[in-house]
Amino acid sequence: MVSITALLHTHNDALRLGRALETLYACDRILIVDHGSRDATVRIAREYGAQVVDARPGQTPQDYLRCASRGVEGAPSANADSASPVSAKSRWILCLEPRESLTEKLAATLFQWKSEAPHAHAPVVPAFSVFLREETARGWMAHPAAQTRLVPQTWNLWSDALPVNEPSAIALEGELLRFVFP
């Protein structure tokens, strides 16, 4: 079965983080990379069961996943990658911003995708993309192009906290909602 880790970078996002975390029920794990928040961001993340690691210059998402797997003291945690029965090919990272939330349709699509058994003859999918709607003062605006947001754990093309857009990524059904107002 496929395993999905939600990855969010935060900095003083206490007002909006809960809304994002409430929609990640299709994910097996939530990892928060915190960039020195001074509000209740870290407390809220932990209340939702997220694992929190401190941001460090030059670190990649794979570095954060390894750090989180070792646990706070450097010892393997209960959900360490080495202890997981899920193969490395079946581990995926869903990247989103703290001001974004999954629609119910996107969460359902992720559940369905996870439950389908991979077939040996199925083509290899490099990544998945999602469409985004953004809240504005005039209402919701749809972005015309899908953004690459669900990538294999071995992905190495990043632009800050989000994956670089992959033109061959398959668009998932459902959307990400980006809230401007807390």
Side-chain angles (χ1 to χ4, degrees):
M1 187 173 195
V2 173
S3 171
I4 299 174
T5 297
L7 178 65
L8 297 88
H9 286 256
T10 59
H11 178 73
N12 294 332
D13 289 301
L15 291 178
R16 62 188 61 84
L17 185 60
R19 177 174 46 215
L21 298 178
E22 284 179 0
T23 66
L24 297 176
Y25 47 88
C27 297
D28 303 285
R29 184 172 162 200
I30 301 170
L31 179 60
I32 302 292
V33 179
D34 188 66
H35 295 258
S37 294
R38 294 183 183 270
D39 63 0
T41 298
V42 171
R43 180 182 55 78
I44 291 169
R46 289 189 175 131
E47 285 176 1
Y48 279 90
Q51 190 168 4
V52 180
V53 296
D54 292 329
R56 295 187 178 149
Q59 297 293 300
T60 67
Q62 290 86 352
D63 295 333
Y64 290 125
L65 290 168
R66 280 192 295 273
C67 177
S69 294
R70 286 193 306 268
V72 178
E73 306 285 302
S77 63
N79 56 3
D81 289 342
S82 59
S84 174
V86 179
S87 74
K89 291 182 189 176
S90 299
R91 293 189 189 122
W92 290 75
I93 304 170
L94 176 64
C95 303
L96 66 154
E97 298 175 7
R99 61 186 177 141
E100 297 173 342
S101 297
L102 282 66
T103 60
E104 289 182 17
K105 179 63 176 170
L106 180 55
T109 299
L110 292 173
F111 271 126
Q112 181 181 1
W113 176 69
K114 284 172 48 173
S115 68
E116 293 174 353
H119 302 288
H121 61 278
V124 176
V125 177
F128 291 94
S129 59
V130 295
F131 285 95
L132 179 72
R133 282 193 299 151
E134 188 163 2
E135 181 183 34
T136 68
R138 295 184 184 177
W140 290 92
M141 178 187 81
H143 286 255
Q147 298 181 6
T148 302
R149 294 299 189 94
L150 182 61
V151 296
Q153 186 171 320
T154 56
W155 189 264
N156 59 7
L157 302 171
W158 296 91
S159 175
D160 294 323
L162 298 175
V164 170
N165 191 47
E166 170 59 48
S168 62
I170 296 174
L172 296 170
E173 290 186 45
E175 299 168 309
L176 279 177
L177 302 177
R178 180 177 290 158
F179 294 88
V180 175
F181 311 104

Short mmCIF file of all heavy atoms in Angstrom, two decimals, residues 13-42:
data_model
loop_
_atom_site.label_atom_id
_atom_site.label_comp_id
_atom_site.label_asym_id
_atom_site.label_seq_id
_atom_site.Cartn_x
_atom_site.Cartn_y
_atom_site.Cartn_z
N ASP A 13 2.11 30.56 11.71
CA ASP A 13 0.90 30.23 10.97
C ASP A 13 -0.22 29.69 11.87
O ASP A 13 -1.09 28.96 11.41
CB ASP A 13 1.22 29.20 9.88
CG ASP A 13 2.02 29.80 8.75
OD1 ASP A 13 1.53 30.75 8.13
OD2 ASP A 13 3.14 29.32 8.50
N ALA A 14 -0.21 30.03 13.14
CA ALA A 14 -1.19 29.49 14.08
C ALA A 14 -2.63 29.76 13.66
O ALA A 14 -3.51 28.93 13.85
CB ALA A 14 -0.94 30.03 15.48
N LEU A 15 -2.89 30.91 13.08
CA LEU A 15 -4.27 31.27 12.72
C LEU A 15 -4.84 30.43 11.59
O LEU A 15 -6.04 30.31 11.45
CB LEU A 15 -4.35 32.76 12.35
CG LEU A 15 -4.13 33.74 13.49
CD1 LEU A 15 -4.19 35.17 12.97
CD2 LEU A 15 -5.18 33.54 14.58
N ARG A 16 -3.99 29.88 10.74
CA ARG A 16 -4.49 29.15 9.57
C ARG A 16 -4.12 27.68 9.54
O ARG A 16 -4.66 26.92 8.77
CB ARG A 16 -4.01 29.84 8.29
CG ARG A 16 -2.51 29.88 8.14
CD ARG A 16 -2.04 30.73 6.98
NE ARG A 16 -2.40 32.11 7.09
CZ ARG A 16 -1.73 33.04 7.78
NH1 ARG A 16 -0.64 32.70 8.40
NH2 ARG A 16 -2.13 34.27 7.83
N LEU A 17 -3.19 27.25 10.36
CA LEU A 17 -2.66 25.89 10.28
C LEU A 17 -3.70 24.81 10.57
O LEU A 17 -3.75 23.79 9.89
CB LEU A 17 -1.46 25.73 11.22
CG LEU A 17 -0.74 24.40 11.16
CD1 LEU A 17 -0.20 24.13 9.76
CD2 LEU A 17 0.38 24.37 12.19
N GLY A 18 -4.54 25.03 11.57
CA GLY A 18 -5.55 24.03 11.92
C GLY A 18 -6.45 23.67 10.75
O GLY A 18 -6.77 22.50 10.53
N ARG A 19 -6.86 24.66 9.98
CA ARG A 19 -7.73 24.41 8.82
C ARG A 19 -7.02 23.49 7.83
O ARG A 19 -7.63 22.58 7.28
CB ARG A 19 -8.11 25.73 8.17
CG ARG A 19 -8.95 25.57 6.92
CD ARG A 19 -9.46 26.87 6.35
NE ARG A 19 -8.42 27.88 6.27
CZ ARG A 19 -8.63 29.18 6.46
NH1 ARG A 19 -9.83 29.62 6.74
NH2 ARG A 19 -7.64 30.03 6.37
N ALA A 20 -5.74 23.71 7.60
CA ALA A 20 -4.98 22.86 6.67
C ALA A 20 -4.86 21.44 7.21
O ALA A 20 -5.11 20.46 6.48
CB ALA A 20 -3.60 23.44 6.42
N LEU A 21 -4.50 21.31 8.48
CA LEU A 21 -4.28 19.99 9.06
C LEU A 21 -5.56 19.16 9.13
O LEU A 21 -5.51 17.93 8.99
CB LEU A 21 -3.64 20.13 10.44
CG LEU A 21 -2.26 20.79 10.46
CD1 LEU A 21 -1.75 20.92 11.89
CD2 LEU A 21 -1.27 20.06 9.59
N GLU A 22 -6.70 19.81 9.33
CA GLU A 22 -7.97 19.08 9.39
C GLU A 22 -8.30 18.36 8.09
O GLU A 22 -9.05 17.40 8.08
CB GLU A 22 -9.11 20.04 9.72
CG GLU A 22 -9.14 20.44 11.16
CD GLU A 22 -10.27 21.40 11.48
OE1 GLU A 22 -11.05 21.77 10.59
OE2 GLU A 22 -10.36 21.78 12.66
N THR A 23 -7.73 18.81 6.97
CA THR A 23 -8.05 18.21 5.68
C THR A 23 -7.07 17.13 5.25
O THR A 23 -7.22 16.55 4.18
CB THR A 23 -8.11 19.29 4.58
OG1 THR A 23 -6.80 19.85 4.38
CG2 THR A 23 -9.10 20.38 4.94
N LEU A 24 -6.09 16.82 6.08
CA LEU A 24 -5.05 15.87 5.68
C LEU A 24 -5.32 14.45 6.17
O LEU A 24 -4.41 13.66 6.35
CB LEU A 24 -3.69 16.35 6.20
CG LEU A 24 -3.23 17.68 5.62
CD1 LEU A 24 -1.92 18.12 6.26
CD2 LEU A 24 -3.09 17.58 4.11
N TYR A 25 -6.58 14.09 6.33
CA TYR A 25 -6.93 12.76 6.84
C TYR A 25 -6.57 11.64 5.88
O TYR A 25 -6.51 10.48 6.28
CB TYR A 25 -8.40 12.69 7.26
CG TYR A 25 -9.38 13.26 6.27
CD1 TYR A 25 -9.91 12.49 5.26
CD2 TYR A 25 -9.79 14.59 6.36
CE1 TYR A 25 -10.81 13.02 4.34
CE2 TYR A 25 -10.69 15.13 5.47
CZ TYR A 25 -11.20 14.34 4.45
OH TYR A 25 -12.08 14.87 3.56
N ALA A 26 -6.29 11.92 4.63
CA ALA A 26 -5.86 10.89 3.69
C ALA A 26 -4.36 10.58 3.83
O ALA A 26 -3.88 9.61 3.27
CB ALA A 26 -6.17 11.31 2.26
N CYS A 27 -3.66 11.40 4.58
CA CYS A 27 -2.21 11.23 4.75
C CYS A 27 -1.92 10.34 5.95
O CYS A 27 -2.63 10.36 6.94
CB CYS A 27 -1.53 12.58 4.92
SG CYS A 27 -1.71 13.63 3.46
N ASP A 28 -0.85 9.56 5.83
CA ASP A 28 -0.46 8.65 6.90
C ASP A 28 0.36 9.35 7.97
O ASP A 28 0.46 8.87 9.10
CB ASP A 28 0.36 7.50 6.31
CG ASP A 28 -0.43 6.77 5.24
OD1 ASP A 28 -1.34 6.01 5.61
OD2 ASP A 28 -0.16 6.98 4.05
N ARG A 29 0.95 10.46 7.59
CA ARG A 29 1.86 11.16 8.49
C ARG A 29 1.88 12.63 8.10
O ARG A 29 1.73 12.98 6.93
CB ARG A 29 3.24 10.54 8.29
CG ARG A 29 4.33 11.00 9.15
CD ARG A 29 5.53 10.09 8.89
NE ARG A 29 6.73 10.71 9.35
CZ ARG A 29 7.94 10.38 8.95
NH1 ARG A 29 8.09 9.42 8.07
NH2 ARG A 29 8.98 10.99 9.42
N ILE A 30 2.08 13.50 9.08
CA ILE A 30 2.19 14.93 8.83
C ILE A 30 3.51 15.40 9.42
O ILE A 30 3.79 15.17 10.60
CB ILE A 30 1.02 15.72 9.46
CG1 ILE A 30 -0.31 15.24 8.91
CG2 ILE A 30 1.21 17.22 9.22
CD1 ILE A 30 -1.51 15.79 9.64
N LEU A 31 4.30 16.06 8.58
CA LEU A 31 5.59 16.59 9.02
C LEU A 31 5.59 18.09 8.82
O LEU A 31 5.37 18.58 7.72
CB LEU A 31 6.73 15.95 8.23
CG LEU A 31 8.14 16.42 8.58
CD1 LEU A 31 8.47 16.15 10.05
CD2 LEU A 31 9.15 15.75 7.67
N ILE A 32 5.81 18.81 9.91
CA ILE A 32 5.88 20.27 9.88
C ILE A 32 7.34 20.68 10.02
O ILE A 32 8.02 20.26 10.95
CB ILE A 32 5.07 20.89 11.05
CG1 ILE A 32 3.60 20.45 11.02
CG2 ILE A 32 5.23 22.41 11.08
CD1 ILE A 32 2.81 20.99 9.87
N VAL A 33 7.80 21.50 9.09
CA VAL A 33 9.13 22.08 9.17
C VAL A 33 8.92 23.52 9.61
O VAL A 33 8.42 24.34 8.83
CB VAL A 33 9.87 22.00 7.82
CG1 VAL A 33 11.25 22.65 7.93
CG2 VAL A 33 9.98 20.56 7.33
N ASP A 34 9.26 23.80 10.85
CA ASP A 34 8.97 25.13 11.40
C ASP A 34 10.18 26.05 11.31
O ASP A 34 11.30 25.67 11.66
CB ASP A 34 8.51 25.03 12.85
CG ASP A 34 8.04 26.37 13.36
OD1 ASP A 34 7.02 26.86 12.86
OD2 ASP A 34 8.73 26.94 14.23
N HIS A 35 9.93 27.25 10.83
CA HIS A 35 10.97 28.25 10.61
C HIS A 35 10.97 29.31 11.72
O HIS A 35 10.89 30.50 11.45
CB HIS A 35 10.79 28.91 9.24
CG HIS A 35 10.98 27.95 8.10
ND1 HIS A 35 12.13 27.90 7.36
CD2 HIS A 35 10.17 26.98 7.60
CE1 HIS A 35 12.02 26.96 6.43
NE2 HIS A 35 10.83 26.39 6.57
N GLY A 36 11.02 28.86 12.96
CA GLY A 36 11.15 29.78 14.10
C GLY A 36 9.88 30.48 14.51
O GLY A 36 9.92 31.64 14.93
N SER A 37 8.77 29.80 14.45
CA SER A 37 7.50 30.42 14.86
C SER A 37 7.55 30.85 16.31
O SER A 37 8.09 30.16 17.18
CB SER A 37 6.34 29.43 14.68
OG SER A 37 6.14 29.14 13.32
N ARG A 38 6.94 32.01 16.58
CA ARG A 38 6.88 32.53 17.95
C ARG A 38 5.44 32.56 18.46
O ARG A 38 5.19 33.02 19.56
CB ARG A 38 7.49 33.93 18.00
CG ARG A 38 8.97 33.91 17.70
CD ARG A 38 9.57 35.29 17.83
NE ARG A 38 10.96 35.30 17.47
CZ ARG A 38 11.96 35.09 18.33
NH1 ARG A 38 11.70 34.86 19.59
NH2 ARG A 38 13.20 35.13 17.92
N ASP A 39 4.51 32.08 17.64
CA ASP A 39 3.11 32.01 18.08
C ASP A 39 2.80 30.56 18.45
O ASP A 39 3.68 29.79 18.79
CB ASP A 39 2.19 32.57 16.99
CG ASP A 39 2.23 31.77 15.70
OD1 ASP A 39 2.97 30.77 15.62
OD2 ASP A 39 1.51 32.14 14.76
N ALA A 40 1.56 30.16 18.36
CA ALA A 40 1.14 28.82 18.77
C ALA A 40 1.22 27.78 17.65
O ALA A 40 0.66 26.70 17.77
CB ALA A 40 -0.29 28.89 19.31
N THR A 41 1.95 28.06 16.59
CA THR A 41 2.04 27.14 15.45
C THR A 41 2.47 25.74 15.86
O THR A 41 1.82 24.76 15.50
CB THR A 41 3.01 27.70 14.39
OG1 THR A 41 2.50 28.94 13.90
CG2 THR A 41 3.18 26.74 13.24
N VAL A 42 3.55 25.62 16.60
CA VAL A 42 4.09 24.31 16.97
C VAL A 42 3.11 23.56 17.86
O VAL A 42 2.87 22.36 17.68
CB VAL A 42 5.47 24.46 17.64
CG1 VAL A 42 5.95 23.14 18.22
CG2 VAL A 42 6.48 25.01 16.63
#
